Amino acid sequence: MHQPYETRYVEDRSPGSGRLAPRAAFRSDAPVVGLDGAWRFRAATGLGDLTAGFEDPAFDDAAWDRLPVPSCWQLQGVGSPAYTNVTYPFPLDPPRVPDENPTGEYRRDFTLPDGWPAGRGVLRFDGVDSCFAVWLNGVRLGDGKGSRIPTEFDATDALRPGRNVLAVRVHQWSAGSYLEDQDMWWLSGIFRPVQLLSRPEGCVEDFFVHADYDHVSGAGTLSVDTTGPAGLSVPELGLVDADPAGPHTFAHVEPWNAEQPRLYEGELTAAGERITVRIGFRRVVVEDGLLKANGRALLLRGVNRHEWDPETGRTLSYETMVRDVLLMKRHNINAVRTSHYPPSSDFLALCDEYGLWVVDECDLETHGFEQVGWRGNPSDDERWREAMLDRMRRVVERDKNHPSVLMWSLGNESGSGDNLAAMAEWTRTRDPSRPVHYEGDRDSGYVDVYSRMYADHAETELIGRGEEPPTRDPSLDAHRRGLPFILCEYAHAMGNGPGGLSEYQRLFETYPRLQGGFVWEWIDHGIARRTADGRVFHAYGGDFGEPVHDGNFVADGLVLPDRTPSPGLLEYKKVVEPVTIGFGADGGKCVEVRNGHDFRDTAHLRFRWWAEDDGECVGDGVFAVPVLAPGERAHLPLPELPPCKDAERALTVVAELAAAEPWAPAGHEIAWGQTVLTSAAPAPEPGRVLPAVSGRGGRLTLGPAAFDAHHGRLLAVGGLDVGALRLDLWRAPTDNDLLGDRVADRWRAAGLHRLTTKVLDVAATGEGLTVRTRTAPAGADHAVRATYHWRSDGRSLRLDADIAPEGEWPCPLPRIGIGFSLPGWIDTVDWYGLGPGEAYRDTTAAARLGRYRHTVEAMQTPYVRPQENGNRRAVRRALLTGARGGLLIGGLPSYDLTVRRWTSAELDAARHTTDLVPGDRVHVNVDVAHHGIGTASCGPGPLPQHALGAGPVALRLVLRAL
């Protein structure tokens, strides 16, 4: 092996050579040869390990391995994945890259079909990471960079009738890698499809659809720029083989928007082919300081989306893309930012079809230069200008015909500089119909919207009021203040969370300038791996021996790696629901329904109600809600209900689809509201109170309960073993606890994970048992005192626990409550309280009052990195049962509940879900409260009202064996 080729292109700032000009992605009936499948493959260590003559059609590759195309070779057992967020995994020495540069040599043959038409043959690569060169039948066609944008080569002169041999050399690192420092796994290979396209003589090489909409008159104007002669047919509009350029004006058209994605099916006909054209009429402008579509200001309920599959990485099937879109639509999401590169064209076509606004982002990020003070940043280095402009051109040209594309984004976290300004200028000239976005331009001098990441609630409100701090340049400051504001990233969805969503949404709905945002992000990028016994877990940074990595920061999505919705996604669905149902008007004596859609009225919705007494249905029906236009409200009288006797009565109203939509069946729930009409009567005091009686073996008996006489510790209730009941202040830190403000560090410094308890007094009396304790960490004088007063009427055991801090507490508390364990045969939890999913004090929007039943296993949320999870809030009563009985826990009036098969310490120590092994006990926490969740892994911590300060609290419970 030696280096027989000219390889300067690897470290050349140029975007490539021999490539065709960028153009729109489209489907036609011209012949296509799909080149996906099993290719011959050899892994080389770098430029000094290349195979001489591998491009020769006669080269014998029989000994080479086979690798699927498309795929990422690290997920096919070749090399290892690596994850970094900001840091480049190689020295900053642009444009040079290391000699240790993994390289893949690919070969495959294919047969040119009989009757292949005259004209050009175009070889199309939709995605190759990061740099590649191409030979066809031994003829070098060219090379290219720009991993997530298409590259096409003219293959006409190299094509042969019959057998053809394609050879591709792919390099993991190149000069282009300096422009691709996105927060994701570093993966390599031909990861999107490869095709040979016939471009018949006289065909249309490119076209640009301009479909404008006048919201005042309802008229639409259509013109299509084409590179050659063609006829345009749109039967619904009465166009048959018309001149595409038009312009064609229609007195009335149905516009496209994300709520009603109306597409007109058309066709361009040229010599040798017919091209499908899907037309959506809409007009996007920034006007009066607002981002508007079709004359209406938008409220973006968005997510950032990386392309990810836990088995195949950035290679996604069409079915997976459909699944993403349907999940988004079903969870009230209306917008996607394609972080931080353009996705597959198929995904944008699905957004056109099902209705999602898209911020289409260029394949650009140079974030790692921030770590050296932005020295050498390509964004302000003229030598990189053509490469950066090329990336922008290829995104815009490929995606310009998608009505779903709302804005063009220059890229992400690339500092500032003249090259970005040049990209913005070119984009605005090429497509003046769409605004330009870029968050890194803090002065907003060359963009059309003011965009920020992770501004906290207070700063976001200042921006909404137009009271944000000024910039240094008065003219730029005035310009920026006149722009709409978007949080292009907020509410970092890492692990348990995000918290604070409701408070952000209220700001968006209060201040017109705040036009929503995009949660970071859609999916956890876990890589599926299996233990020796076949159990699946999801790997993250550091699991592959990377010398530089960012741990599980890559697992920060609203769906788990297998696309199971997380509690965070369910919370987001509730927070951003496009219809709000409240009960505040007229003192809670009516139902208020508000239509929060941007465009759509409520004719497609059906409103149902039901009433429950202590979780038992006592009535239901349908509300006759008048059709509401966007922004309209209706007030409806409460339904007539039977009298309520000594029960808690809740009324729930839901809005659901009256008929099936393309993205969900009839009956799919869009929104809901709930109110408690009648509070439960206070629990009566015990009719009689039994004394605590000394028994054998150092025990005390109190009704059905047994206690340790020396420590006053509860041992059993009705013969059911209750192990190690104690005051508990610790939780396994969440990702939000560990990062950002690092509250978990303060918890550990305060010793909350290593508390010890001193029993101060055990007093058995004729009215029960009173136990006083002091719980504190070694080496500190802050503590928590607890007084447990136990009483029994002979059937049940009642606990009145008063808990108060002592000394100066240096931090908020993770939780305040009691913990104990039950036998491992307990397997089911029935509860009446908030549910069905987990909830914490700042993630409760999606939880509603009702009766629920889960297995102990289903009470858990399997976050990629194990952490505190599974809490149920405002539980009035719970039954923990199994084959041999169980325990009822009643709240006076309520408590928070977690039930799991491992301790908090075991949860804290685990790195992956498979580290959690069920033991022979079930561990229960009954809490007064938890510290909030927040989004401090990237963004603000819990709001002050959600912090759990050290202060006196009371816990009132009733325990009864079943």
Side-chain angles (χ1 to χ4, degrees):
M1 300 293 179
H2 61 288
Q3 184 175 333
Y5 298 100
E6 171 56 65
T7 56
R8 283 180 295 183
Y9 66 92
V10 175
E11 295 185 338
D12 190 332
R13 293 181 180 85
S14 163
S17 65
R19 306 165 309 147
L20 293 173
R23 63 194 181 103
F26 58 83
R27 299 186 186 280
S28 85
D29 64 354
V32 178
V33 177
L35 298 175
D36 296 348
W39 290 43
R40 289 291 184 182
F41 179 83
R42 174 184 173 267
T45 59
L47 299 187
D49 182 28
L50 304 182
T51 304
F54 94 115
E55 76 281 9
D56 190 327
F59 178 82
D60 184 2
D61 59 16
W64 284 18
D65 295 328
R66 290 190 181 274
L67 191 82
V69 170
S71 72
C72 304
W73 72 53
Q74 290 88 351
L75 298 186
Q76 299 296 323
V78 180
S80 296
Y83 165 63
T84 62
N85 171 29
V86 178
T87 305
Y88 287 97
F90 46 79
L92 281 179
D93 185 25
R96 291 185 286 270
V97 293
D99 293 336
E100 297 82 11
N101 188 357
T103 295
E105 296 179 325
Y106 293 79
R107 281 174 52 90
R108 75 153 293 162
D109 60 16
F110 64 92
T111 300
L112 198 64
D114 292 339
W116 186 260
R120 285 202 301 170
V122 171
L123 193 60
R124 181 181 178 88
F125 294 82
D126 279 323
V128 184
D129 192 323
S130 72
C131 169
F132 67 114
V134 180
W135 292 260
L136 180 60
N137 296 322
V139 177
R140 192 180 193 280
L141 301 184
D143 54 79
K145 303 183 188 76
S147 297
R148 285 153 284 277
I149 42 183
T151 304
E152 292 184 332
F153 300 96
D154 189 341
T156 309
D157 294 339
L159 276 172
R160 301 173 180 172
R163 179 176 180 266
N164 289 263
V165 177
L166 181 60
V168 182
R169 181 172 284 124
V170 180
H171 309 275
Q172 178 164 11
W173 311 125
S174 70
S177 301
Y178 285 98
L179 304 180
E180 296 177 0
D181 188 32
Q182 291 96 335
D183 174 11
M184 60 185 182
W185 292 96
W186 294 92
L187 298 173
S188 317
I190 306 173
F191 70 93
R192 285 187 186 155
V194 183
Q195 296 176 312
L196 176 68
L197 310 174
S198 168
R199 306 307 302 133
E201 293 180 354
C203 70
V204 171
E205 294 290 355
D206 193 16
F207 62 93
F208 194 167
V209 175
H210 306 278
D212 188 35
Y213 176 71
D214 183 340
H215 70 276
V216 177
S217 67
T221 303
L222 175 64
S223 65
V224 182
D225 301 333
T226 62
T227 57
L232 174 64
S233 298
V234 187
E236 282 187 274
L237 298 176
L239 294 182
V240 179
D241 202 27
D243 178 5
H248 305 282
T249 301
F250 309 96
H252 176 76
V253 296
E254 297 175 57
W256 190 99
N257 61 68
E259 295 166 3
Q260 294 173 294
R262 178 64 160 96
L263 293 172
Y264 290 85
E265 301 292 337
E267 187 176 76
L268 281 172
T269 306
E273 70 174 346
R274 294 177 179 272
I275 299 170
T276 300
V277 182
R278 307 186 85 183
I279 299 162
F281 290 90
R282 87 285 187 283
R283 180 185 295 175
V284 177
V285 297
V286 173
E287 157 183 282
D288 303 323
L290 298 174
L291 175 64
K292 296 181 179 179
N294 304 336
R296 293 182 177 270
L298 297 177
L299 183 56
L300 300 177
R301 304 167 166 94
V303 292
N304 286 274
R305 175 186 178 268
H306 272 288
E307 293 186 303
W308 187 253
D309 184 283
E311 301 282 353
T312 58
R314 288 201 295 276
T315 300
L316 267 62
S317 69
Y318 183 77
E319 292 73 22
T320 297
M321 296 180 220
V322 171
R323 188 176 177 189
D324 277 350
V325 170
L326 295 182
L327 276 170
M328 290 175 187
K329 293 289 292 185
R330 290 171 183 174
H331 288 87
N332 293 332
I333 289 165
N334 71 354
V336 180
R337 177 177 174 229
T338 69
S339 52
H340 298 295
Y341 45 84
S344 164
S345 296
D346 287 338
F347 179 78
L348 295 182
L350 291 168
C351 294
D352 295 341
E353 179 179 350
Y354 289 99
L356 288 167
W357 295 112
V358 175
V359 176
D360 198 0
E361 196 146 272
C362 183
D363 188 10
L364 174 65
E365 182 166 335
T366 67
H367 200 174
F369 284 91
E370 183 181 43
Q371 296 184 326
V372 295
W374 294 108
R375 289 190 306 275
N377 183 23
S379 297
D380 204 30
D381 183 338
E382 188 175 4
R383 294 173 297 176
W384 290 93
R385 182 165 302 172
E386 180 53 32
M388 293 175 65
L389 280 169
D390 177 79
R391 287 169 182 255
M392 197 70 213
R393 290 187 198 110
R394 289 179 179 273
V395 174
V396 171
E397 297 296 0
R398 190 196 72 165
D399 298 339
K400 58 184 178 269
N401 294 324
H402 290 285
S404 58
V405 174
L406 174 71
M407 290 188 283
W408 302 114
S409 180
L410 305 180
N412 185 67
E413 292 177 319
S414 295
S416 59
D418 288 344
N419 293 341
L420 289 160
M423 292 166 68
E425 182 181 4
W426 179 88
T427 302
R428 203 174 280 111
T429 300
R430 177 61 173 139
D431 181 19
S433 72
R434 293 179 174 99
V436 174
H437 166 274
Y438 177 64
E439 180 270 341
D441 177 18
R442 291 297 177 89
D443 289 339
S444 304
Y446 43 79
V447 296
D448 303 304
V449 296
Y450 178 29
S451 178
R452 287 287 303 282
M453 294 181 182
Y454 307 109
D456 64 20
H457 300 81
E459 183 183 6
T460 300
E461 183 166 16
L462 285 176
I463 294 168
R465 293 174 173 173
E467 298 173 1
E468 69 269 24
T471 63
R472 289 172 295 182
D473 185 322
S475 63
L476 285 176
D477 185 65
H479 166 71
R480 191 189 68 182
R481 291 177 190 277
L483 298 180
F485 177 76
I486 290 170
L487 275 168
C488 68
E489 294 180 23
Y490 81 112
H492 196 251
M494 186 177 180
N496 187 335
L501 285 171
S502 295
E503 290 83 357
Y504 272 118
Q505 193 67 20
R506 297 296 82 78
L507 293 173
F508 299 159
E509 293 170 355
T510 300
Y511 299 101
R513 186 190 186 192
L514 306 181
Q515 295 196 246
F518 297 82
V519 168
W520 185 268
E521 64 160 301
W522 176 240
I523 189 168
D524 288 340
H525 299 204
I527 294 178
R529 287 292 179 263
R530 289 161 179 81
T531 61
D533 58 357
R535 292 176 298 145
V536 175
F537 67 96
H538 290 98
Y540 49 79
D543 285 335
F544 299 94
E546 309 101 298
V548 177
H549 67 83
D550 285 296
N552 68 311
F553 204 69
V554 76
D556 48 12
L558 290 171
V559 298
L560 303 180
D562 64 359
R563 285 177 165 74
T564 298
S566 75
L569 180 58
L570 302 180
E571 181 83 352
Y572 194 45
K573 175 186 178 180
K574 171 59 180 169
V575 167
V576 301
E577 58 191 10
V579 172
T580 54
I581 300 169
F583 305 88
D586 298 332
K589 296 180 181 179
C590 75
V591 180
E592 181 182 86
V593 179
R594 176 184 175 273
N595 181 11
H597 286 92
D598 292 332
F599 301 95
R600 196 172 193 182
D601 64 29
T602 58
H604 65 297
L605 299 177
R606 174 175 59 227
F607 292 83
R608 294 192 301 113
W609 65 267
W610 61 85
E612 295 170 304
D613 285 357
D614 290 345
E616 292 285 347
C617 186
V618 295
D620 59 61
V622 175
F623 266 125
V625 179
V627 174
L628 302 175
E632 279 193 327
R633 301 173 187 266
H635 294 85
L636 308 168
L638 296 179
E640 293 187 10
L641 295 169
C644 180
K645 297 182 179 179
D646 299 328
E648 182 176 40
R649 173 166 288 177
L651 174 67
T652 305
V653 180
V654 302
E656 62 187 23
L657 292 179
E661 297 274 336
W663 45 270
H668 171 77
E669 187 175 285
I670 299 296
W672 62 272
Q674 186 179 66
T675 189
V676 173
L677 296 174
T678 306
S679 298
E685 290 293 318
R688 60 175 181 150
V689 178
L690 300 180
V693 180
S694 297
R696 286 181 284 178
R699 290 194 170 201
L700 290 171
T701 299
L702 179 60
F707 292 83
D708 176 278
H710 180 68
H711 296 99
R713 183 179 299 133
L714 179 64
L715 301 174
V717 178
L720 179 67
D721 175 13
V722 178
L725 188 144
R726 71 209 179 279
L727 179 73
D728 198 350
L729 307 178
W730 178 250
R731 75 183 186 197
T734 68
D735 291 317
N736 287 308
D737 297 334
L738 289 166
L739 300 173
D741 60 6
R742 305 184 72 89
V743 69
D745 289 350
R746 288 183 280 153
W747 292 344
R748 292 188 193 276
L752 293 179
H753 61 307
R754 50 178 179 82
L755 297 173
T756 59
T757 296
K758 172 68 176 176
V759 177
L760 303 176
D761 184 52
V762 178
T765 71
E767 295 186 350
L769 177 69
T770 299
V771 181
R772 294 188 302 111
T773 66
R774 183 180 188 272
T775 299
D781 61 358
H782 53 265
V784 172
R785 286 181 178 261
T787 299
Y788 305 93
H789 186 53
W790 299 96
R791 290 182 290 169
S792 177
D793 60 2
R795 184 178 178 213
S796 301
L797 183 68
R798 175 164 173 160
L799 170 64
D800 294 292
D802 294 294
I803 304 164
E806 178 182 286
E808 299 232 354
W809 272 85
C811 60
L813 299 178
R815 68 173 356 129
I816 302 177
I818 61 171
F820 57 90
S821 70
L822 297 173
W825 48 259
I826 295 288
D827 57 16
T828 303
V829 183
D830 293 84
W831 78 98
Y832 171 53
L834 297 184
E838 77 179 24
Y840 293 80
R841 62 196 296 159
D842 56 349
T843 63
T844 305
R848 64 191 183 205
L849 184 61
R851 283 190 173 185
Y852 304 101
R853 178 184 177 93
H854 280 346
T855 64
V856 171
E857 287 71 23
M859 295 288 284
Q860 319 308 310
T861 301
Y863 293 114
V864 170
R865 187 195 69 79
Q867 58 198 271
E868 166 62 38
N869 74 91
N871 187 62
R872 268 59 178 184
R873 293 203 73 208
V875 175
R876 278 67 162 166
R877 62 180 177 271
L879 283 73
L880 282 60
T881 59
R884 304 180 203 173
L887 181 70
L888 179 145
I889 308 172
L892 303 170
S894 66
Y895 55 87
D896 280 16
L897 176 70
T898 58
V899 184
R900 53 176 69 106
R901 295 195 180 278
W902 33 78
T903 66
S904 292
E906 290 167 335
L907 192 59
D908 189 7
R911 280 177 45 81
H912 298 99
T913 53
T914 48
D915 296 335
L916 294 169
V917 179
D920 59 0
R921 304 289 292 178
V922 167
H923 302 275
V924 182
N925 277 92
V926 177
D927 294 312
V928 179
H930 267 261
H931 187 62
I933 296 298
T935 179
S937 56
C938 196
L943 286 162
Q945 63 266 33
H946 299 308
L948 181 56
V953 297
L955 180 64
R956 309 284 187 252
L957 301 173
V958 173
L959 306 179
R960 183 184 306 158
L962 302 175

